Each structure stands twice: as C-alpha cells, then as structure tokens.
Amino acid sequence: MDGPVTERDAREVAEAARESEWRRESFVRDLFDGKARLDLVDPYPQPDAEDEARARPFLEALEAFLHSEVDGDEIDRTGKVPPRVVDGLRKLGAFGIKIPREYGGLGLSQHSYTKAVRLVSSVDGSVTALLSAHQSIGVPQPLKLFGSEEQKKRYFPRLARGAISAFALTEKGVGSDPAAMETTAVPTEDGQAFILNGEKLWCTNGTVAELLVVMARTPSRVVGGRERRQITAFIVETDWPGVEVVRRCEFMGLKAIENGVIRFHDVRVPRENILWKEGAGLKLALITLNTGRLTLPASSVAVGKRCLQIVRRWASERMQWGAPIGRHDAVAQMIGTMAASTFAMEAISELCSLLADRPDYDIRLEAAIAKLYNSEAGWRIVDDTVQIRGGRGYETARSLAARGEPAVPVERIMRDFRINLIFEGSSEIMHLFIAREAVDRHLKVAGELADPHAPLSRKAAAALRAALFYATWYPARWLGWGHWPRYSSFGPLARHVRYLDRASRRLARSLFHAMVRFGPGLEKRQAVLFRLVDIGAELFAMAAACGRAQMLRRASGADGGGATEMADLFCRQARRRIEESFASLFHNDDAYTHRVADQVLDGAHRWLEQGLVRERLPPAVEEPAPVEAGRR
Ligand SMILES: Cc1cc2nc3c(=O)[nH]c(=O)nc-3n(C[C@H](O)[C@H](O)[C@H](O)COP(=O)(O)OP(=O)(O)OC[C@H]3O[C@@H](n4cnc5c(N)ncnc54)[C@H](O)[C@@H]3O)c2cc1C
C-alpha cells in the first residue's frame, strides 16, 4: 500500500494505535458518561511519603543549582545550554529522575518528576525541553514501559549517567497524522536486523543525542483482508554508520533547543533493538505520551506562577492616572483571573501526576486535558502579562537592563511558551483525541448502525442492542440529585460541586443529542465536538480545583490560606464558560464560518489580500490575478 494516504488509511492507522480497552478508573471517562466521580478527587490524592523524602535532597540541590548556574537570558541570547549546565544536571541525576534505582537512576515518581520540571521551567524553557525530550518522550520512558530486561540493562545505566536521548517521529509529511510515514525499516535477509532509511524533522535533542527512539515503517501486514501499515519503534545509536545530523533548526523561542533534521542512510539496526514488538510503534508512542504529556502542564504552571509574580510586583508599583495600574479595573480583572487560573492549573497538574503514579488509574484522558487546558490557560496568562507590562512586556530583558531597568524576561517567556500549544499533541489533536474517547461508549453500543460497510443483519442486532441500552441509559442522565444538601462537606465550594454533578449529566445528554442530530457526520462537526470537550475539560478543572482547595482547607484549617477563594473564583468563571459552550452547542455560526473558509481556500476572497508588496518568494503555484470586491 504505497499510494497516496487516504482519509480512511489515516483513520485506520490512528485506530490501530489506539488503546481500545478501558480497564482502570478514569474520572474523565466517567464524566463524559454523565457520572461525576468526586470520590476520585476528594480526598485529593497524597504523595508517597517515602518517595517525597528521597526526592527532597535532589529537588533542593536542583533548585540551588538552577538558581546559581542557569541564566535563561544568556541561554536565549547564545542559543546554547552551556556544557557546564548539562554536566551539572548530569551530576545531580536529572537525566534519570524516573529511571529505576537498580539501573542507576533516582527511581522517583511521576509526581517528583513533575516538581523537578516546575523548578527547571521557572528559569528556562530550553533546559526543560532538553530534560523532557530525553525522559518524557525519549528513550527512558518507553524503555521503562516496554523494554526487555536485556535492553534495560544495556541502556538504562547509560541514560541515567546522562547519555542524551530523543524521540524521532515527525517527518516533512508526518505531523499530527503519522499514516504517510516514509522512513522505512526493511528486514535483512537473515531477519537479524533492519535497514533504516529516511529523514526525521524537528527532533528535539537530535543534534546532541547518543540514543534515539525512531519510528519507521516496517513491512505491511494483511489484517481482515486489507493491507495495514505497520510502524515500529527502534532504539538507534547515533554513532552507528549512516546516522547523520543534517541541520539544526531555529525557532521563534526555545533558542537553545538542540532540534534538528536527522537522516538515516542504510543504518543497520539489530532486531533486538525493537522496542516492544513489530508494528506496535505508534501504540507505544501514544502510551508513552500518556504520562509524557504531563511535563508541559507542569511547565505551564511554573510559567503561570512566574507571570503572577512579575505582575504582582509591576502592577502594584507602576503608577498611571493617579493609581497603581493593578488597581484599575481592567488590569485587576486580568490579575484576578490569572491568579485563579494558576491555582486551577496547579490543581490539575498535581492531581494528574499523583493519579499517574497509581497503578489502578488510567491517566490518558486526564493527561490530554491537562496538556490542552494548561497550555491554553498558560498562554492567556503570558499574553495578559505582556499587556500589563505594557511596552516593557515587548522589550527584551537585555534592552531593559541596558537602560537600567530590571531585566524582566516577559518577551522571552512569550516566545518560549507559544510552542506548547503545538507540540506533544496540538490543541486541535488533543480535542479530537478526547472527543474520540468521549464517544467510545456510544460507538461500542451503536457504532455499527452508522457503519456503511456493516451488513443488514449486524445493523439489526446493533439497533436492538442500542434500543435496550438507551432505554435505561438516557432516562438515568436526567435523574440524580445534584442539589442541596449533597456535597455539603465542600463548604463554600459545595454549590460548584453540585453544579459539576448536574453538568456531567447534561454533558452526557448533550453528547448523545449531538450524535442523534448529526449521526456519522458528527465526526466532521469539529466545532461542536470541541465545545463538548471544552465543557468536559472545564468540569475536570473544577473538580481538581475543588478537591485541592478541600485538601488545603483540611490541612491548614479556615479557608486553606486563600485556596477556597481561588477555587471559588475559578469555578465561577469556569461555569460562565461552560454555560456559553452549552448555549452555542447547536446555536452557532459554525456552518457559515466553514462556508466562508471554503471560499477563502478556493480563492474566492483573494481580493482581501490586495494592496501588499509582491512577495519575494514566488508562490508555489502560479495564481491568476485576484478579482476585485463586488466584481465577482
Ligand atoms: C520546537 C519543536 C520541537 C519538536 N520536537 C519534536 C520531537 O522531539 N520529536 C518529534 O517527533 N516531533 C517533534 N516536533 C514536531 C511536533 O510534534 C509537530 O510540530 C506537531 O506534531 C504538529 O505537526 P505539524 O507541525 O506537522 O502540524 P500539522 O499536523 O501539519 O498541523 C498543522 C495545523 O493543523 C491542525 N490539524 C492537523 N490535523 C487536524 C485535524 N484532523 N483536525 C483539526 N486540525 C488539524 C494542527 O492542530 C495544526 O494547528 C517538534 C516541533 C517543534 C516546532
């Protein structure tokens, strides 16, 4: 199957890589089914005391090292993480935080790793990328999850000592959709090895890595009469013949990220370097990312906290129009929202890290929401911080310092942050991933009804199954007590928890209504699906915020040092956003907007692009002159 990749091919590849089973607990999975499992967030999970005690000296040493040795502005200016910083991190064990102790790592939990990420991200994004590309998605994590004992013995000690690793999936034609992968791994005649050929794009750490996880196409297999593309993950050593760093890429931010184009020319990879098994590469990548994705939410929290600190100082000292700018209502609105959002982001990140450490918990949906929610909320915080700093928000730290003002690096923070909404699953892909799981229960019951390839007999059976299922499922999504005195133990937050309880049933009903209304076409109504996902994400954020405030209140008495107020404000704002999403679920301008977008893409509105200097680069395709407005 080497022709052009069709939509069906792309979907089949994605479906084959999906974990189809749900055997462990999941708050979000149940939420979309109309059940608010508050017992999973209250009591808020607690860290393991032994792990915390072992992590403490490491985290203290890391903080001291970052404080004295890491200058984010210098790293940004020079485009290099200094070797002494990389070596210092190696000595601290920062390249093996989660690698088991028997192989030379620190053997710490996801929760402790999250804390380390927060510390690093509070000083420099490029250093976060270095550590995270290595151990969130690089070799250590898939090796821990899927490696053989022999592979672990061979590679873990090297990785723990600081052999840098990277993850190579993306290619020119392979971004969010891996179906068109062109890198191939062809078995040798004796079957002992594979010959790797191809080129990988944007591989973070790739220019300095010793070890790579490389995704490559291995020979297709016939499943159910159809040829299925196979993608396999290999551990590749960069000093093997045929591995070449073609170039280092440059970006808007993260100036010191060691990211590049890596070429493989007839690289011989021994069969024993397959991770997990042949054909399981994409599934491995998705499962690795379930926890790997928790780095960015933690790093967003650190940025939120840093921005809050910058804004608190600046907005209380900067006087304009006879008052500190933070006392003017417009700025105060931003600051209050920023504080409440930072609290919720931390609640989400902590909750997900703690749940990820539980073997009986399935973190995949929560991690996707955490990535989506914290990167989006973090971006709004960064944007508001630039606004509140005014002209100084746009000025580089170096220029500020040269003028004798504090070198506040908001401009760098903004450049470094933007990519968080794109890599490790863009916001759009996270929405689609969550939406797919949200409708999964319904697809299992009634999916065949909408399948054009299903024979009539199977459709009839599906119709009966669906009728029986929905006869009880649907009425139950109207029943349930989400009013006083339920959840009174949450004190001032009880009303939000009751709302959450009611809204979870409304969400499940709305999802069902959308399926009935649009049928199989729902898949194409991304704006509708995204609103449903956003409601679920806001409800999860509310649950995390209330659970955390409740925990802090119990621990410190009174209002948990202000946590109740933060959770209260966050929930009030989240509820407004949820109500807006519900209101515009079926009453919106989606179809109109899509129609205009189609016209734009078809060139009908090129008149809007008139009045520009001609491009220096010739357009890829020769375009006819645009027709003026009103002459069409
Ligand atoms: C700094 C940096 C570091 C990176 N590090 C690594 C790395 O270490 N390893 C690695 O393998 N890759 C890495 N990447 C690649 C990164 O993961 C991809 O950029 C990302 O997956 C998106 O792919 P793309 O850029 O090709 O966008 P595309 O997939 O082309 O998407 C473009 C836009 O279309 C949207 N879109 C795509 N499909 C759909 C759809 N079905 N519905 C709705 N919207 C859609 C996307 O959300 C996005 O907004 C890195 C990239 C950068 C810039």
Side-chain angles (χ1 to χ4, degrees):
M1 190 174 58
D2 282 320
V5 178
T6 63
E7 198 176 336
R8 187 173 174 196
D9 295 333
R11 197 183 326 214
E12 277 177 4
V13 169
E15 275 297 314
R18 207 184 132 247
E19 282 178 87
S20 52
E21 295 302 319
W22 282 92
R23 294 199 189 89
R24 291 167 287 156
E25 293 193 299
S26 164
F27 180 92
V28 174
R29 164 107 168 148
D30 282 345
L31 186 69
F32 281 106
D33 196 37
K35 291 175 227 143
R37 292 279 312 277
L38 270 304
D39 60 306
L40 292 172
V41 295
D42 179 48
Y44 197 78
Q46 288 302 297
D48 177 68
E50 192 264 337
D51 178 76
E52 267 203 317
R54 279 195 304 109
R56 199 168 299 120
F58 162 68
L59 293 171
E60 284 171 3
L62 180 65
E63 196 277 335
F65 176 80
L66 294 167
H67 175 71
S68 65
E69 299 297 327
V70 178
D71 178 343
D73 290 315
E74 189 200 325
I75 289 175
D76 181 62
R77 262 195 314 278
T78 58
K80 272 279 169 197
V81 178
R84 67 179 161 73
V85 170
V86 181
D87 284 341
L89 291 169
R90 283 193 175 110
K91 284 194 190 103
L92 288 169
F95 284 87
I97 302 176
K98 291 190 289 173
I99 293 178
R101 277 181 289 172
E102 64 263 38
Y103 302 106
L106 298 182
L108 294 173
S109 63
Q110 179 66 34
H111 184 242
S112 292
Y113 173 71
T114 296
K115 285 185 177 172
V117 167
R118 271 211 308 262
L119 287 174
V120 177
S121 305
S122 70
V123 287
D124 189 69
S126 293
V127 179
T128 304
L130 165 70
L131 293 178
S132 152
H134 167 71
Q135 54 202 324
S136 287
I137 56 173
V139 180
Q141 189 66 10
L143 185 61
K144 188 171 165 184
L145 294 172
F146 303 105
S148 67
E149 193 47 43
E150 202 279 325
Q151 289 173 333
K152 288 180 183 172
K153 278 193 185 130
R154 186 148 37 107
Y155 289 118
F156 265 153
R158 265 175 83 180
L159 292 158
R161 281 197 300 275
I164 296 173
S165 73
F167 173 80
L169 168 68
T170 304
E171 299 175 8
K172 264 193 188 164
V174 172
S176 318
D177 163 21
M181 186 169 290
E182 285 185 356
T183 298
T184 54
V186 178
T188 53
E189 267 181 22
D190 61 3
Q192 296 300 302
F194 288 78
I195 303 300
L196 186 65
N197 278 292
E199 196 170 277
K200 293 291 180 180
L201 179 63
W202 296 330
C203 179
T204 302
N205 289 352
T207 50
V208 293
E210 284 180 40
L211 299 168
L212 307 173
V213 178
V214 179
M215 299 289 161
R217 271 185 71 188
T218 40
S220 299
R221 278 183 26 215
V222 177
V223 181
R226 270 178 64 83
E227 205 176 330
R228 301 289 158 107
R229 286 170 195 248
Q230 302 291 300
I231 293 172
T232 303
F234 297 89
I235 300 179
V236 173
E237 307 202 16
T238 54
D239 63 359
W240 286 348
V243 181
E244 181 196 351
V245 175
V246 179
R247 62 167 289 117
R248 187 179 164 201
C249 303
E250 283 171 33
F251 300 98
M252 169 196 288
L254 300 181
K255 293 289 184 188
I257 192 173
E258 289 287 349
N259 178 298
V261 178
I262 314 291
R263 187 175 295 152
F264 305 101
H265 180 72
D266 287 342
V267 180
R268 190 175 194 281
V269 185
R271 175 173 282 279
E272 60 263 25
N273 273 36
I274 290 181
L275 267 170
W276 200 5
K277 55 188 178 191
E278 221 179 310
L282 275 187
K283 200 169 222 171
L284 170 140
L286 286 183
I287 296 174
T288 301
L289 272 170
N290 284 343
T291 46
R293 237 176 228 134
L294 293 175
T295 301
L296 289 183
S299 136
S300 304
V301 171
V303 172
K305 283 172 181 267
R306 182 64 83 209
C307 285
L308 197 59
Q309 185 184 52
I310 291 169
V311 158
R312 174 179 54 73
R313 290 183 183 143
W314 175 247
S316 50
E317 76 189 28
R318 172 72 173 171
M319 298 288 291
Q320 290 289 287
W321 305 91
I325 54 167
R327 307 289 170 184
H328 296 302
D329 185 49
V331 179
Q333 295 298 324
M334 290 189 229
I335 298 171
T337 303
M338 201 180 268
S341 299
T342 303
F343 176 79
M345 284 159 63
E346 185 166 24
I348 292 172
S349 169
E350 282 282 292
L351 178 65
C352 289
S353 306
L354 290 161
L355 290 174
D357 281 327
R358 273 180 41 183
D360 60 341
Y361 200 87
D362 192 325
I363 198 67
R364 77 185 105 146
L365 277 173
E366 284 75 358
I369 288 186
K371 154 68 172 78
L372 168 66
Y373 199 90
N374 282 14
S375 59
E376 297 269 345
W379 176 245
R380 287 191 294 273
I381 289 176
V382 171
D383 194 32
D384 283 351
T385 304
V386 172
Q387 192 67 17
I388 293 170
R389 284 278 295 164
R392 287 164 182 82
Y394 196 65
E395 189 173 8
T396 66
R398 186 187 197 177
S399 174
L400 286 163
R403 294 197 293 104
E405 291 205 25
V408 181
V410 174
E411 174 265 351
R412 168 169 63 86
I413 292 175
M414 179 172 240
R415 283 189 287 107
D416 283 354
F417 197 89
R418 186 58 182 84
I419 188 62
N420 291 339
L421 286 73
I422 296 172
F423 60 13
E424 292 189 15
S426 68
S427 293
E428 291 75 24
I429 297 302
M430 288 297 87
H431 274 100
L432 292 175
F433 175 82
I434 297 160
R436 170 65 187 84
E437 298 309 331
V439 298
D440 186 54
R441 200 157 277 175
H442 299 281
L443 287 185
K444 281 193 174 124
V445 175
E448 280 187 326
L449 279 175
D451 180 357
H453 305 288
L456 210 58
S457 58
R458 290 235 307 270
K459 282 196 180 209
L464 183 64
R465 197 169 56 234
L468 289 172
F469 175 80
Y470 288 114
T472 53
W473 184 92
Y474 188 69
R477 275 19 182 210
W478 286 96
L479 303 170
W481 187 250
H483 298 276
W484 186 86
R486 240 187 134 191
Y487 304 117
S488 294
S489 66
F490 279 86
L493 300 176
R495 67 192 193 95
H496 299 309
V497 181
R498 287 180 201 125
Y499 174 88
L500 197 167
D501 182 87
R502 296 192 300 273
S504 65
R505 285 189 289 281
R506 191 172 164 203
L507 174 62
R509 293 196 305 265
S510 302
L511 185 63
F512 177 73
H513 295 160
M515 292 180 69
V516 171
R517 184 168 176 148
F518 298 112
L522 178 60
E523 196 185 348
K524 301 269 180 210
R525 304 300 296 249
Q526 292 187 342
V528 173
L529 283 172
F530 284 22
R531 283 186 200 102
L532 290 163
V533 168
D534 286 337
I535 294 169
E538 293 285 6
L539 291 173
F540 176 60
M542 282 176 66
C546 291
R548 186 162 177 82
Q550 184 78 333
M551 180 269 287
L552 293 171
R553 198 158 66 101
R554 283 192 194 118
S556 68
D559 74 343
T564 305
E565 201 168 6
M566 286 297 156
D568 185 27
L569 176 57
F570 175 76
C571 289
R572 286 165 185 250
Q573 295 187 342
R575 286 171 65 168
R576 280 187 208 287
R577 291 190 291 265
I578 291 170
E579 287 304 317
E580 273 172 31
S581 293
F582 272 129
S584 54
L585 203 52
F586 302 123
H587 303 282
N588 51 57
D589 305 314
D590 295 351
Y592 196 174
T593 309
H594 197 124
R595 201 162 58 242
V596 169
D598 283 342
Q599 291 165 1
V600 168
L601 294 179
D602 293 342
H605 296 299
R606 281 187 56 221
W607 53 271
L608 266 171
E609 300 163 20
Q610 280 180 333
L612 307 176
V613 174
R614 279 165 297 131
E615 292 165 287
R616 287 203 181 166
L617 293 172
V621 184
E622 200 57 45
E623 293 178 320
V627 179
E628 277 183 32
R631 295 240 185 116
R632 285 187 300 128

mmCIF file of all heavy atoms in Angstrom, residues 167-170 175-176 202-204 251 259 419 422-423 426 428-429 432 526, ligand 1:
data_model
loop_
_atom_site.group_PDB
_atom_site.id
_atom_site.type_symbol
_atom_site.label_atom_id
_atom_site.label_comp_id
_atom_site.label_asym_id
_atom_site.label_seq_id
_atom_site.Cartn_x
_atom_site.Cartn_y
_atom_site.Cartn_z
ATOM 1 N N PHE A 167 13.378 11.597 20.610
ATOM 2 C CA PHE A 167 12.248 10.859 20.054
ATOM 3 C C PHE A 167 12.023 11.351 18.622
ATOM 4 O O PHE A 167 11.791 12.546 18.413
ATOM 5 C CB PHE A 167 11.030 11.142 20.925
ATOM 6 C CG PHE A 167 9.727 10.602 20.431
ATOM 7 C CD1 PHE A 167 9.406 9.269 20.630
ATOM 8 C CD2 PHE A 167 8.808 11.420 19.803
ATOM 9 C CE1 PHE A 167 8.191 8.767 20.189
ATOM 10 C CE2 PHE A 167 7.582 10.929 19.367
ATOM 11 C CZ PHE A 167 7.279 9.599 19.564
ATOM 12 N N ALA A 168 12.106 10.456 17.640
ATOM 13 C CA ALA A 168 12.030 10.874 16.243
ATOM 14 C C ALA A 168 10.823 10.252 15.550
ATOM 15 O O ALA A 168 10.876 9.101 15.106
ATOM 16 C CB ALA A 168 13.318 10.485 15.527
ATOM 17 N N LEU A 169 9.742 11.034 15.475
ATOM 18 C CA LEU A 169 8.530 10.587 14.785
ATOM 19 C C LEU A 169 8.265 11.471 13.565
ATOM 20 O O LEU A 169 8.026 10.994 12.462
ATOM 21 C CB LEU A 169 7.332 10.644 15.751
ATOM 22 C CG LEU A 169 5.940 10.483 15.150
ATOM 23 C CD1 LEU A 169 5.737 9.076 14.627
ATOM 24 C CD2 LEU A 169 4.860 10.799 16.177
ATOM 25 N N THR A 170 8.327 12.794 13.785
ATOM 26 C CA THR A 170 7.900 13.751 12.757
ATOM 27 C C THR A 170 8.776 13.683 11.502
ATOM 28 O O THR A 170 9.989 13.504 11.588
ATOM 29 C CB THR A 170 7.952 15.174 13.346
ATOM 30 O OG1 THR A 170 7.144 15.193 14.520
ATOM 31 C CG2 THR A 170 7.467 16.208 12.363
ATOM 32 N N GLY A 175 2.991 15.011 10.440
ATOM 33 C CA GLY A 175 2.894 15.916 11.577
ATOM 34 C C GLY A 175 1.998 15.281 12.604
ATOM 35 O O GLY A 175 2.391 14.337 13.301
ATOM 36 N N SER A 176 0.723 15.746 12.618
ATOM 37 C CA SER A 176 -0.241 15.157 13.547
ATOM 38 C C SER A 176 -0.664 13.771 13.083
ATOM 39 O O SER A 176 -1.170 12.982 13.865
ATOM 40 C CB SER A 176 -1.478 16.035 13.635
ATOM 41 O OG SER A 176 -1.121 17.375 13.676
ATOM 42 N N TRP A 202 12.615 18.045 13.024
ATOM 43 C CA TRP A 202 12.336 18.663 14.334
ATOM 44 C C TRP A 202 12.557 17.726 15.519
ATOM 45 O O TRP A 202 11.747 17.687 16.454
ATOM 46 C CB TRP A 202 10.887 19.171 14.397
ATOM 47 C CG TRP A 202 10.597 20.267 13.429
ATOM 48 C CD1 TRP A 202 11.450 21.187 12.959
ATOM 49 C CD2 TRP A 202 9.317 20.567 12.834
ATOM 50 N NE1 TRP A 202 10.804 22.049 12.097
ATOM 51 C CE2 TRP A 202 9.502 21.684 12.004
ATOM 52 C CE3 TRP A 202 8.058 19.993 12.920
ATOM 53 C CZ2 TRP A 202 8.461 22.239 11.274
ATOM 54 C CZ3 TRP A 202 7.015 20.549 12.196
ATOM 55 C CH2 TRP A 202 7.219 21.652 11.375
ATOM 56 N N CYS A 203 13.605 16.963 15.451
ATOM 57 C CA CYS A 203 13.853 16.011 16.534
ATOM 58 C C CYS A 203 14.573 16.750 17.674
ATOM 59 O O CYS A 203 15.753 17.093 17.540
ATOM 60 C CB CYS A 203 14.698 14.863 15.968
ATOM 61 S SG CYS A 203 15.099 13.648 17.196
ATOM 62 N N THR A 204 13.850 16.994 18.782
ATOM 63 C CA THR A 204 14.439 17.734 19.906
ATOM 64 C C THR A 204 15.505 16.882 20.574
ATOM 65 O O THR A 204 15.261 15.697 20.856
ATOM 66 C CB THR A 204 13.349 18.120 20.923
ATOM 67 O OG1 THR A 204 12.376 18.896 20.237
ATOM 68 C CG2 THR A 204 13.926 18.927 22.078
ATOM 69 N N PHE A 251 14.053 28.462 15.914
ATOM 70 C CA PHE A 251 12.635 28.710 16.165
ATOM 71 C C PHE A 251 12.388 30.105 16.735
ATOM 72 O O PHE A 251 13.316 30.813 17.119
ATOM 73 C CB PHE A 251 12.094 27.654 17.127
ATOM 74 C CG PHE A 251 12.233 26.257 16.601
ATOM 75 C CD1 PHE A 251 13.285 25.453 16.995
ATOM 76 C CD2 PHE A 251 11.334 25.761 15.674
ATOM 77 C CE1 PHE A 251 13.436 24.166 16.497
ATOM 78 C CE2 PHE A 251 11.473 24.474 15.165
ATOM 79 C CZ PHE A 251 12.525 23.674 15.583
ATOM 80 N N ASN A 259 17.524 20.971 18.287
ATOM 81 C CA ASN A 259 16.496 20.322 17.490
ATOM 82 C C ASN A 259 16.941 20.307 16.027
ATOM 83 O O ASN A 259 17.394 21.323 15.520
ATOM 84 C CB ASN A 259 15.198 21.133 17.664
ATOM 85 C CG ASN A 259 14.051 20.595 16.847
ATOM 86 O OD1 ASN A 259 14.117 20.565 15.625
ATOM 87 N ND2 ASN A 259 13.006 20.179 17.512
ATOM 88 N N ILE A 419 5.025 27.439 21.623
ATOM 89 C CA ILE A 419 5.086 26.096 21.032
ATOM 90 C C ILE A 419 4.301 25.068 21.857
ATOM 91 O O ILE A 419 3.873 24.033 21.344
ATOM 92 C CB ILE A 419 6.558 25.644 20.858
ATOM 93 C CG1 ILE A 419 6.680 24.332 20.070
ATOM 94 C CG2 ILE A 419 7.257 25.500 22.194
ATOM 95 C CD1 ILE A 419 6.166 24.392 18.673
ATOM 96 N N ILE A 422 1.381 23.509 20.424
ATOM 97 C CA ILE A 422 1.556 22.784 19.153
ATOM 98 C C ILE A 422 2.184 21.405 19.342
ATOM 99 O O ILE A 422 1.662 20.406 18.850
ATOM 100 C CB ILE A 422 2.420 23.636 18.183
ATOM 101 C CG1 ILE A 422 1.678 24.928 17.821
ATOM 102 C CG2 ILE A 422 2.755 22.835 16.925
ATOM 103 C CD1 ILE A 422 2.489 25.933 17.035
ATOM 104 N N PHE A 423 3.324 21.342 20.084
ATOM 105 C CA PHE A 423 3.964 20.013 20.104
ATOM 106 C C PHE A 423 3.388 19.098 21.208
ATOM 107 O O PHE A 423 2.579 19.530 22.016
ATOM 108 C CB PHE A 423 5.496 20.075 20.084
ATOM 109 C CG PHE A 423 6.226 20.794 21.196
ATOM 110 C CD1 PHE A 423 5.596 21.161 22.354
ATOM 111 C CD2 PHE A 423 7.586 21.078 21.050
ATOM 112 C CE1 PHE A 423 6.298 21.795 23.375
ATOM 113 C CE2 PHE A 423 8.294 21.718 22.056
ATOM 114 C CZ PHE A 423 7.642 22.076 23.220
ATOM 115 N N SER A 426 -1.065 18.852 19.322
ATOM 116 C CA SER A 426 -1.567 20.230 19.244
ATOM 117 C C SER A 426 -2.927 20.314 19.944
ATOM 118 O O SER A 426 -3.581 19.296 20.187
ATOM 119 C CB SER A 426 -1.724 20.639 17.786
ATOM 120 O OG SER A 426 -2.768 19.895 17.203
ATOM 121 N N GLU A 428 -5.707 21.141 18.774
ATOM 122 C CA GLU A 428 -6.777 20.535 17.954
ATOM 123 C C GLU A 428 -6.728 19.006 18.075
ATOM 124 O O GLU A 428 -7.759 18.347 18.213
ATOM 125 C CB GLU A 428 -6.622 20.941 16.473
ATOM 126 C CG GLU A 428 -6.904 22.405 16.191
ATOM 127 C CD GLU A 428 -5.780 23.317 16.662
ATOM 128 O OE1 GLU A 428 -4.635 22.856 16.778
ATOM 129 O OE2 GLU A 428 -6.056 24.501 16.941
ATOM 130 N N ILE A 429 -5.518 18.459 18.023
ATOM 131 C CA ILE A 429 -5.405 16.995 18.083
ATOM 132 C C ILE A 429 -5.810 16.497 19.475
ATOM 133 O O ILE A 429 -6.441 15.437 19.607
ATOM 134 C CB ILE A 429 -3.976 16.553 17.697
ATOM 135 C CG1 ILE A 429 -3.682 16.950 16.241
ATOM 136 C CG2 ILE A 429 -3.772 15.060 17.913
ATOM 137 C CD1 ILE A 429 -4.629 16.400 15.196
ATOM 138 N N LEU A 432 -9.505 16.293 19.512
ATOM 139 C CA LEU A 432 -10.009 15.131 18.763
ATOM 140 C C LEU A 432 -9.781 13.833 19.523
ATOM 141 O O LEU A 432 -10.635 12.937 19.541
ATOM 142 C CB LEU A 432 -9.331 15.056 17.383
ATOM 143 C CG LEU A 432 -9.703 16.184 16.422
ATOM 144 C CD1 LEU A 432 -8.885 16.081 15.140
ATOM 145 C CD2 LEU A 432 -11.195 16.143 16.089
ATOM 146 N N GLN A 526 -16.324 19.500 13.953
ATOM 147 C CA GLN A 526 -15.304 19.642 14.999
ATOM 148 C C GLN A 526 -15.643 20.748 15.989
ATOM 149 O O GLN A 526 -15.369 20.624 17.184
ATOM 150 C CB GLN A 526 -13.936 19.892 14.364
ATOM 151 C CG GLN A 526 -13.405 18.685 13.614
ATOM 152 C CD GLN A 526 -11.981 18.883 13.128
ATOM 153 O OE1 GLN A 526 -11.482 20.002 13.041
ATOM 154 N NE2 GLN A 526 -11.324 17.798 12.779
HETATM 155 C C1 LIG B 1 10.237 23.121 18.608
HETATM 156 C C2 LIG B 1 9.670 21.811 18.168
HETATM 157 C C3 LIG B 1 10.074 20.642 18.785
HETATM 158 C C4 LIG B 1 9.591 19.413 18.341
HETATM 159 N N1 LIG B 1 10.085 18.255 18.885
HETATM 160 C C5 LIG B 1 9.757 17.069 18.318
HETATM 161 C C6 LIG B 1 10.394 15.849 18.722
HETATM 162 O O1 LIG B 1 11.236 15.845 19.619
HETATM 163 N N2 LIG B 1 10.064 14.705 18.066
HETATM 164 C C7 LIG B 1 9.138 14.670 17.072
HETATM 165 O O2 LIG B 1 8.892 13.603 16.517
HETATM 166 N N3 LIG B 1 8.477 15.801 16.697
HETATM 167 C C8 LIG B 1 8.784 16.995 17.272
HETATM 168 N N4 LIG B 1 8.170 18.145 16.854
HETATM 169 C C9 LIG B 1 7.080 18.058 15.914
HETATM 170 C C10 LIG B 1 5.737 18.399 16.535
HETATM 171 O O3 LIG B 1 5.340 17.366 17.381
HETATM 172 C C11 LIG B 1 4.761 18.709 15.397
HETATM 173 O O4 LIG B 1 5.025 20.033 15.006
HETATM 174 C C12 LIG B 1 3.331 18.524 15.758
HETATM 175 O O5 LIG B 1 3.043 17.178 15.900
HETATM 176 C C13 LIG B 1 2.392 19.098 14.717
HETATM 177 O O6 LIG B 1 2.722 18.632 13.458
HETATM 178 P P1 LIG B 1 2.903 19.678 12.264
HETATM 179 O O7 LIG B 1 3.700 20.813 12.758
HETATM 180 O O8 LIG B 1 3.357 18.968 11.067
HETATM 181 O O9 LIG B 1 1.443 20.236 12.034
HETATM 182 P P2 LIG B 1 0.276 19.618 11.134
HETATM 183 O O10 LIG B 1 -0.035 18.235 11.550
HETATM 184 O O11 LIG B 1 0.571 19.874 9.710
HETATM 185 O O12 LIG B 1 -0.920 20.544 11.614
HETATM 186 C C14 LIG B 1 -0.979 21.936 11.261
HETATM 187 C C15 LIG B 1 -2.207 22.516 11.944
HETATM 188 O O13 LIG B 1 -3.379 21.806 11.531
HETATM 189 C C16 LIG B 1 -4.049 21.279 12.683
HETATM 190 N N5 LIG B 1 -4.614 19.967 12.329
HETATM 191 C C17 LIG B 1 -3.966 18.901 11.821
HETATM 192 N N6 LIG B 1 -4.803 17.874 11.656
HETATM 193 C C18 LIG B 1 -6.022 18.298 12.051
HETATM 194 C C19 LIG B 1 -7.316 17.695 12.126
HETATM 195 N N7 LIG B 1 -7.531 16.424 11.763
HETATM 196 N N8 LIG B 1 -8.339 18.424 12.609
HETATM 197 C C20 LIG B 1 -8.151 19.699 13.005
HETATM 198 N N9 LIG B 1 -6.962 20.321 12.959
HETATM 199 C C21 LIG B 1 -5.906 19.638 12.487
HETATM 200 C C22 LIG B 1 -2.989 21.177 13.745
HETATM 201 O O14 LIG B 1 -3.541 21.192 15.045
HETATM 202 C C23 LIG B 1 -2.164 22.419 13.462
HETATM 203 O O15 LIG B 1 -2.794 23.531 14.021
HETATM 204 C C24 LIG B 1 8.640 19.364 17.289
HETATM 205 C C25 LIG B 1 8.217 20.561 16.696
HETATM 206 C C26 LIG B 1 8.731 21.767 17.101
HETATM 207 C C27 LIG B 1 8.298 23.011 16.384
#
